[in-house]
Amino acid sequence: MRRSLIVFLSLAVAGALTATPAMASAQGRADIPQSHPQWADPAAKVADTPPSSTVDFRVYLNLRDQSGAESAAQAVSDPHSPAFRRYLSPDQVRDRFAASDQTVSAVRNWLSSAGFHLGVVPDNRAYVTASGSADQVQRAFAVKLGKYSVKGQTLRAADKNLSVPASLSGAVLGVIGVDQATRLFKPDHTDGLTNPDAAVTQQAAGPSTAPPSKGFRNSGPCSAYYGEKTDTTDPAYQGKQLPYAPCGYMPAQLRSAYGLDQAARLGADGKGTTIAIVDAFASPTIYADASEYARRNDPAHPLTKAQFKQHIFPPTPGQEAPDQCDASGWYGEETLDVEAAHGLAPGAHILYVGGADCQDLSLDTALNYVVAGHKADIISNSYGDTGEDIPADEVKAFNQISLQAVLEGIGVYFSSGDNGDEVARLGSPSPDFSASAPWVTAVGGTSLAVGKDGRRLFETGWETGKSTLTKGVYTPGFPGAFNGGAGGGTSKLFGQPFYQKGIVPDALSTKNQTGGAKGRVVPDISAIADPNTGFLVGQTQTFPDGAYYDQYRIGGTSLASPVFAGVMAVADSLDHVHHGFINPVLYQLTSRTSAINDVQHVDGAVQRVDFVNGVDASAGLLTSARVLDYPNLTIHTTNGYDDVTGLGSPSGLPFLLLV
């Protein structure tokens, strides 16, 4: 989703991805740079867009002082700055940096004169929302809309860069929603199923129409803690009888492993901090499920109604149905995020904000809602794009939202992705957006071994190799076939941010670059993600005998993100301060201090048994060996900073005290 220029003090995004104004052209028009997606080429076009079809879009506005906003954001987050943690209020951000009332009025007047129906402008004046016919869009932006085949989907896009009247060239940052590239977002969670078909969920167009997710359960045998049970009946793998995978860690086990139980004895459990969770759609059973989960698995820490709130954006009336979105699949994402965040920080308030669908337009609306009104102190986001190939307009708009979050002292955390280096899907290595953006904290993933007494036995990078046991033989042999892992790598889109200078090795920062340039490297920090050492969740699902609450083990970096958000909420309550954008502090701690556990490679594997049908043993069982830190990728877990786990993982109380 973007490009490069090396940043330095300002963290400005390279080239045209800074707040570049629309570029003047003939006939009194100004092109919006890079507003035409590369995949919308004539060879991929399959049809014209019906002129009467409805298009909902958003015109993002340039900040009036982009460089000043970036300098202020660095100042409030850099511990060496006199302005460190002197955050601005939403009103102060708006009054100092946002587009002026005159600019907003000029854009609204132009859109209105073009016949569009105008929506509300958010409090931070970030954008103007509009809706109209495809024909109106074509005439207003001087383009032709078509349908294009991309990544197995048919998506709308313009045939060239959008343009606006030259008089608005300095006002318009970008336009989102005219093309449908943002439908490529997916939640970053995985159950690590042996049989992917067992996880297929039903498609739906809105949060009120999708039934509960298709049911899934874990088979036994499994272990209550790492190493409790060993498989002594199946053939050895690499000469070793493997421990059965944990059944799914419970909240108390993760609080113990990450030292949060020590903070709780000091009275710190996240109280006084609000964690916002942003996803698409909304599970109709979320509070019932999360409260039942706490009652069964963490009874001393119930999720009260006073702790949990939701803000759900309804579908736009008449909007084209986002049929590529898997609404019920996002129910599981919301469930995981809420239960993990509450499990790690049981005293924190949880605010769930559900986008109307899975498009960037809707997810950014949800994210901006939290930031514009400072609705939370921490935001956990468990979704992302495959790689960085998305429209420049979306990148610029997202960076503006995340920049305001930094100014206000809101920590924004993004899952680093669940497909390793993305080579299998893209053909070349790449981190995922939005985790690769410079003003957010990218949370990578680990495989975590929690012992009987709750101690962390070891932690290594999550990259799974899978060998299936068939007729007494493991196929393929060690280390198996890649079966998911934490995302990471070096951005081609963003230059090296100030906080990574001198810390991230040049061998990593110059990967994927040319001419000695240095890029942003992902992730920044990490936490448990491996579904083979994963987290137990409880959710209402649709089983053959009906829909009801049940529990299963799950993982992915969308586990890591709310887990780390919970850790930071506890740090907030322990230190009596909201930590905001934590990256500059993290990189000054580095893994050489006791605050950060330097995650290193561990030779390990677990044995896993799954139901073939994902529900019961009627169709048989499948057994597989799962290697914990698969070596055959372009990203690797190493000593010090690495592109699987970043700086490492929280060490416990020293981390909570030193951040």
Side-chain angles (χ1 to χ4, degrees):
M1 290 174 165
R2 54 221 77 103
R3 189 20 35 101
S4 163
L5 187 189
I6 305 184
V7 321
F8 343 107
L9 285 181
S10 70
L11 270 188
V13 181
L17 294 185
T18 56
T20 306
M23 300 173 64
S25 61
Q27 291 84 44
R29 305 287 298 183
D31 274 3
I32 303 173
Q34 297 181 309
S35 55
H36 173 243
Q38 294 180 358
W39 47 259
D41 62 75
K45 185 176 179 180
V46 296
D48 290 331
T49 298
S52 61
S53 60
T54 300
V55 179
D56 298 285
F57 63 93
R58 183 170 300 152
V59 178
Y60 273 85
L61 307 176
N62 277 311
L63 296 177
R64 75 181 83 169
D65 183 4
Q66 179 77 27
S67 61
E70 291 173 344
S71 295
Q74 179 172 335
V76 299
S77 58
D78 186 344
H80 294 312
S81 166
F84 181 51
R85 290 180 180 158
R86 294 182 181 177
Y87 306 127
L88 305 182
S89 70
D91 287 349
Q92 288 174 319
V93 174
R94 183 190 63 232
D95 294 344
R96 285 178 58 179
F97 302 116
S100 67
D101 287 332
Q102 292 81 358
T103 296
V104 173
S105 294
V107 172
R108 284 177 58 85
N109 290 340
W110 168 64
L111 292 170
S112 180
S113 68
F116 293 110
H117 173 74
L118 302 184
V120 298
V121 175
D123 291 341
N124 59 351
R125 303 187 199 128
Y127 55 79
V128 176
T129 300
S131 177
S133 69
D135 183 59
Q136 288 173 318
V137 169
Q138 291 177 139
R139 287 186 281 110
F141 292 101
V143 294
K144 181 70 175 177
L145 298 181
K147 296 283 190 177
Y148 297 83
S149 178
V150 53
K151 297 182 180 180
Q153 301 183 36
T154 300
L155 303 178
R156 182 183 65 235
D159 62 341
K160 59 183 179 180
N161 278 345
L162 308 180
S163 66
V164 297
S167 61
L168 299 177
S169 61
V172 176
L173 177 70
V175 179
I176 299 177
V178 168
D179 67 53
Q180 294 174 316
T182 60
R183 290 190 176 183
L184 301 173
F185 269 112
K186 298 293 182 184
D188 281 331
H189 73 264
T190 177
D191 43 34
L193 291 171
T194 298
N195 177 13
D197 293 336
V200 173
T201 52
Q202 301 184 43
Q203 302 294 315
S208 63
T209 61
S213 308
K214 187 175 180 180
F216 172 70
R217 298 187 182 101
N218 297 111
S219 169
C222 57
S223 298
Y225 54 87
Y226 192 89
E228 180 201 22
K229 299 176 182 177
T230 299
D231 182 0
T232 59
T233 59
D234 291 311
Y237 185 74
Q238 282 292 97
K240 297 179 181 179
Q241 299 297 144
L242 300 181
Y244 282 113
C247 305
Y249 295 130
M250 296 185 184
Q253 289 174 290
L254 294 188
R255 290 197 300 268
S256 175
Y258 287 119
L260 305 188
D261 53 349
Q262 300 176 56
R265 288 193 285 271
L266 298 175
D269 63 356
K271 185 177 181 180
T273 291
T274 297
I275 302 172
I277 292 165
V278 174
D279 285 318
F281 306 103
S283 168
T285 60
I286 183 60
Y287 179 72
D289 290 344
S291 56
E292 176 65 14
Y293 176 82
R295 186 187 69 80
R296 292 191 187 193
N297 304 297
D298 202 17
H301 300 95
L303 178 63
T304 67
K305 288 186 177 180
Q307 283 181 282
F308 181 74
K309 294 182 179 179
Q310 292 193 94
H311 183 89
I312 304 164
F313 288 89
T316 302
Q319 185 178 23
E320 185 178 342
D323 55 0
Q324 287 85 8
C325 292
D326 175 6
S328 57
W330 286 82
Y331 293 176
E333 181 60 62
E334 177 185 359
T335 303
L336 167 61
D337 293 351
V338 170
E339 291 175 359
H342 176 68
L344 273 290
H349 282 75
I350 306 293
L351 169 65
Y352 176 73
V353 183
D357 54 56
C358 70
Q359 300 181 73
D360 275 3
L361 193 67
S362 299
L363 293 168
D364 285 353
T365 299
L367 183 63
N368 191 69
Y369 167 80
V370 181
V371 173
H374 201 140
K375 305 291 186 182
D377 312 294
I378 291 169
I379 308 174
S380 178
N381 307 268
S382 295
Y383 52 86
D385 188 63
T386 301
E388 296 185 311
D389 183 19
I390 66 163
D393 287 352
E394 163 58 22
V395 177
K396 291 183 287 186
F398 176 85
N399 281 343
Q400 192 158 293
I401 297 170
S402 57
L403 176 64
Q404 179 170 344
V406 177
L407 290 167
E408 293 180 17
I410 301 172
V412 180
Y413 300 94
F414 266 87
S415 304
S416 72
D418 290 353
N419 295 283
D421 57 14
E422 292 290 7
V423 168
R425 297 200 293 182
L426 299 177
S428 60
S430 175
D432 291 344
F433 182 84
S434 301
S436 63
W439 293 112
V440 307
T441 299
V443 186
T446 66
S447 301
L448 177 65
V450 180
K452 183 178 182 179
D453 59 0
R455 289 186 302 111
R456 175 167 35 191
L457 301 179
F458 67 82
E459 194 168 16
T460 191
W462 169 46
E463 303 293 350
T464 299
K466 173 185 160 188
S467 300
T468 302
L469 183 61
T470 306
K471 296 181 179 180
V473 178
Y474 291 98
T475 306
F478 178 86
F482 178 65
N483 190 239
T490 306
S491 174
K492 294 181 181 179
L493 188 58
F494 296 109
Q496 185 180 61
F498 71 93
Y499 49 80
Q500 288 193 327
K501 288 184 175 182
I503 304 297
V504 175
D506 288 350
L508 294 181
S509 62
T510 56
K511 270 188 178 182
N512 306 333
Q513 304 291 315
T514 58
K518 295 181 181 180
R520 158 91 159 114
V521 187
V522 173
D524 300 303
I525 197 74
S526 58
I528 179 173
D530 187 350
N532 305 295
T533 65
F535 183 63
L536 187 72
V537 298
Q539 181 187 355
T540 297
Q541 303 174 78
T542 303
F543 294 96
D545 57 343
Y548 49 85
Y549 175 94
D550 206 346
Q551 302 190 149
Y552 59 97
R553 177 187 58 228
I554 196 169
T557 54
S558 65
L559 169 60
S561 183
V563 163
F564 189 73
V567 170
M568 290 308 304
V570 173
D572 278 9
S573 61
L574 182 65
D575 300 337
H576 303 290
V577 65
H578 295 306
H579 289 79
F581 181 51
I582 197 66
N583 287 17
V585 172
L586 290 179
Y587 282 89
Q588 292 188 35
L589 288 175
T590 79
S591 59
R592 292 186 294 274
T593 75
S594 61
I596 297 178
N597 171 49
D598 183 9
V599 177
Q600 302 179 17
H601 173 76
V602 171
D603 289 325
V606 296
Q607 197 82 330
R608 180 162 162 171
V609 183
D610 291 289
F611 295 128
V612 171
N613 63 11
V615 177
D616 56 38
S618 61
L621 301 173
L622 289 174
T623 300
S624 59
R626 307 291 179 106
V627 172
L628 298 185
D629 192 17
Y630 184 76
N632 297 345
L633 299 174
T634 63
I635 57 177
H636 302 284
T637 309
T638 65
N639 295 351
Y641 180 93
D642 62 65
D643 46 12
V644 174
T645 68
L647 295 166
S649 64
S651 66
L653 195 59
F655 177 88
L656 301 173
L657 291 170
L658 289 175
V659 292

